[in-house]
Amino acid sequence: MKSIAVVGASLAALSTVRALRAEGYDGAITVIGEERHHPYDRPPLSKAFLKGDLDADALALADPDEYADLRVRWLLGERAVRLDPAARTITLRSGRELRADAAVVATGASPRTIAGAQGLAGVHTLRTLDDAVALRADLRDGLPRVVVIGAGFIGAEVASTAHALGLSVTVVEAAEVPLERVLGREMGLVCSSLHTDHGVRLLCGTGVAGLTGEGRVTGVRLADGRLLPADLVVVGVGVRPATAWLAGSGLTVDDGLVCDAGCATNIPGVVAAGDVARCPNPFTGRHQRIEHWSNATEQPRTAARTLLSGRSAPTPVQPPYFWSDQYQARIQLAGHVAPGDRPQLVAGDLESRSFVAVYRRNGHDVAVLAVNQPKLFSRLRRTLTPVPSAVARAAP
Amino acid sequence: MITVCRIEDLPPGEALRVTEGVPAPIAVFNADGTVYAVDDTCTHQDASLADGWLEGCYVECPLHAAAFDLRDGRPTCPPAKVPLRTHRVTVEDGRVVLHVTVGEPA
């Protein structure tokens, strides 16, 4: 194998390049990135960067010395629009065609938005550095009334940051209980109460009917008829995997690029990693995409081994892990919470917002949630075990 | 010099965070009987290494799993790239004593 193309240029892509070199691959590597930036760290975009405590330079994931060692040809500001595995070519938006012996798909995901958001100034999604720069400028323009649509982690972090900037913030969530799908009902209520603890208004169980304003947003109309005045709207309603460019490639796409446990796709010489890759996971018992930062650092090692060895090479999988910092609280979850899993408090208490809870299923500890208890969390996450009966079905 | 605690209050595998009398928080570890001290804040992003996972003479950041060698402060895996400052710490008459260094990395 003399040449590898990595499509996507974020954390998963950089981790893949690092893994390829660490495994001894000495050939050419080209990274194609739609954004014009070298890989940068996204988690601070909703927090320290958005608040203004960090500048863009601080988000860099590698320094010039490491880039020199990695010997990558960067094609930035170039979007891949087609993959032809038979011809081993990738076509770029510019019309340019790139040939490579193998490809790593690390195109990530794009934020979903809501109807009527396009063309209205003051309406934002947050995924990229450019998104964050634009949102930061708007947040600092006077004292805008902020409405956040979606009380997931991104929405909650943006709300927390906007609140810290002294702004009036309302969070709207369609579900009755925010974060229920991720944390279960009880802990979803506990974690989402951080909003109300700090005087941020949280409206649950109500959908958004549309936005008002001409040219610039003036409000959010709720499904129940209420109108929330808004100078600034942030839409945080999830993402969809960036797979449209794979149409016609012959790759199996179904809510992500479908892979086996070794990150191998249905076409030899093409692997996937990061948010776009849908792999079986022994900890969740599901064939799913994992949109966590930690997955984007770990999974590429598997993808790189599979690509270089030419056969699917599953490696031991850690329990999925993510964290969220909001309102001076650090929330950490490892493992997977399924409907019906009940959290059991093992340390601290809910009222003080400092606790650890372990979720059990069939006698196994399947997930651990901590708020402001990093030390115990670090210990307990190592004790989680995959549920034997729920081991993911084999790859397609 | 700062007396951190009695050595029996810092058993093997444990860590303490020192915030008083130091320019920046310092984490003191008892790694299987050897005491080490390094800057407490991970050089990658804001997290306290005293809360980290101690294994041998390595500590893993509780947030992103960057690991550091407590002997020289060097990161052993991403995401951290910048070494931690190390500080001299001794056990004298049963007391853990921190010899605070200010300025250049030790």
Side-chain angles (χ1 to χ4, degrees):
Chain A
M1 195 177 300
K2 295 198 172 102
S3 57
I4 297 174
V6 179
V7 189
S10 59
L11 176 62
L14 177 62
S15 303
T16 302
V17 172
R18 283 172 168 157
L20 288 169
R21 292 304 188 207
E23 292 284 320
Y25 172 70
D26 199 36
I29 300 177
T30 302
V31 174
I32 301 158
E34 184 177 8
E35 293 178 65
R36 55 200 168 81
H37 310 289
H38 281 85
Y40 55 87
D41 212 20
R42 289 193 205 279
L45 295 181
S46 55
K47 303 180 278 274
F49 180 82
L50 194 59
K51 188 152 175 272
D53 292 346
L54 272 188
D55 61 18
D57 291 344
L59 304 178
L61 284 169
D63 56 31
D65 285 350
E66 187 183 5
Y67 280 139
D69 289 345
L70 290 173
R71 291 172 291 121
V72 170
R73 178 164 67 127
W74 296 94
L75 296 179
L76 298 176
E78 284 271 25
R79 178 185 181 137
V81 293
R82 204 164 82 86
L83 174 68
D84 183 340
R88 305 231 164 264
T89 55
I90 292 166
T91 308
L92 307 181
R93 183 170 43 194
S94 59
R96 190 168 166 184
E97 212 165 67
L98 184 84
R99 209 189 162 286
D101 296 331
V104 182
V105 177
T107 41
S110 316
R112 291 173 187 273
T113 188
I114 57 170
Q118 273 192 336
L120 266 189
V123 182
H124 296 263
T125 52
L126 178 53
R127 177 80 180 177
T128 66
L129 175 55
D130 293 350
D131 292 342
V133 167
L135 176 55
R136 182 159 80 169
D138 250 10
L139 283 170
R140 287 159 167 265
D141 186 12
L143 287 173
R145 291 163 298 177
V146 179
V147 174
V148 176
I149 301 174
F153 288 110
I154 283 280
E157 289 176 359
V158 170
S160 162
T161 302
H163 171 74
L165 290 169
L167 305 178
S168 157
V169 186
T170 302
V171 180
V172 181
E173 167 61 47
E176 291 289 342
V177 178
L179 304 170
E180 181 171 6
R181 196 175 49 80
V182 189
L183 302 179
R185 188 174 184 87
E186 184 180 352
M187 290 301 161
L189 285 169
V190 170
C191 289
S192 60
S193 65
L194 288 166
H195 294 294
T196 40
D197 284 0
H198 291 81
V200 167
R201 188 152 69 125
L202 175 64
L203 303 175
C204 295
T206 178
V208 169
L211 303 172
T212 59
E214 283 177 27
R216 188 171 180 94
V217 72
T218 56
V220 175
R221 193 171 294 286
L222 302 181
D224 60 15
R226 278 181 292 177
L227 179 69
L228 304 174
D231 307 302
L232 174 52
V233 172
V234 183
V235 182
V237 293
V239 296
R240 61 179 95 238
T243 51
W245 70 286
L246 297 172
S249 65
L251 288 160
T252 305
V253 170
D254 176 12
D255 183 36
L257 180 46
V258 177
C259 298
D260 68 10
C263 299
T265 68
N266 60 312
I267 292 180
V270 180
V271 298
D275 292 9
V276 75
R278 190 152 85 79
C279 302
N281 185 301
F283 273 90
T284 69
R286 295 165 65 191
H287 199 133
Q288 67 179 151
R289 297 185 302 104
I290 297 194
E291 297 169 9
H292 305 333
W293 183 96
S294 54
N295 183 59
T297 65
E298 290 159 8
Q299 195 178 49
R301 286 196 281 270
T302 305
R305 277 174 203 166
T306 290
L307 198 58
L308 296 177
S309 70
R311 59 188 176 79
S312 186
T315 46
V317 176
Q318 303 284 323
Y321 162 64
F322 70 86
W323 79 97
S324 174
D325 290 339
Q326 35 181 296
Y327 305 108
Q328 290 89 50
R330 172 157 291 166
I331 301 169
Q332 294 175 288
L333 182 86
H336 172 68
V337 179
D341 295 348
R342 293 297 304 273
Q344 190 179 5
L345 206 63
V346 297
D349 60 88
L350 302 179
E351 291 68 32
S352 66
R353 309 290 185 237
S354 169
F355 64 87
V356 182
V358 171
Y359 296 76
R360 291 179 71 79
R361 188 189 318 158
N362 302 334
H364 295 264
D365 292 350
V366 292
V368 55
L369 169 71
V371 175
N372 288 330
Q373 289 264 10
K375 190 164 192 162
L376 186 54
F377 175 82
S378 293
R379 185 156 72 73
L380 291 176
R381 70 184 280 199
R382 289 171 161 78
T383 66
L384 299 177
T385 49
V387 182
S389 60
V391 168
R393 64 186 158 86
Chain B
M1 295 202 304
I2 296 169
T3 298
V4 177
C5 61
R6 303 283 311 170
I7 185 64
E8 54 267 32
D9 296 329
L10 186 66
E14 289 298 318
L16 273 173
R17 188 165 184 257
V18 180
T19 54
E20 287 188 18
V22 290
I26 290 174
V28 181
F29 298 89
N30 183 339
D32 301 330
T34 307
V35 181
Y36 297 99
V38 296
D39 275 0
D40 181 55
T41 305
C42 179
T43 59
H44 170 240
Q45 261 165 36
D46 189 14
S48 166
L49 293 171
D51 287 333
W53 179 257
L54 185 61
E55 200 148 35
C57 58
Y58 299 92
V59 65
E60 184 188 284
C61 173
L63 191 55
H64 296 149
F68 297 90
D69 186 334
L70 293 175
R71 292 169 297 188
D72 56 16
R74 291 216 175 100
T76 59
C77 69
K81 290 189 288 291
V82 177
L84 294 165
R85 290 194 314 172
T86 59
H87 305 276
R88 198 157 80 84
V89 61
T90 54
V91 181
E92 295 170 17
D93 301 330
R95 296 171 305 140
V96 177
V97 179
L98 185 59
H99 306 256
V100 185
T101 48
V102 181
E104 291 306 300

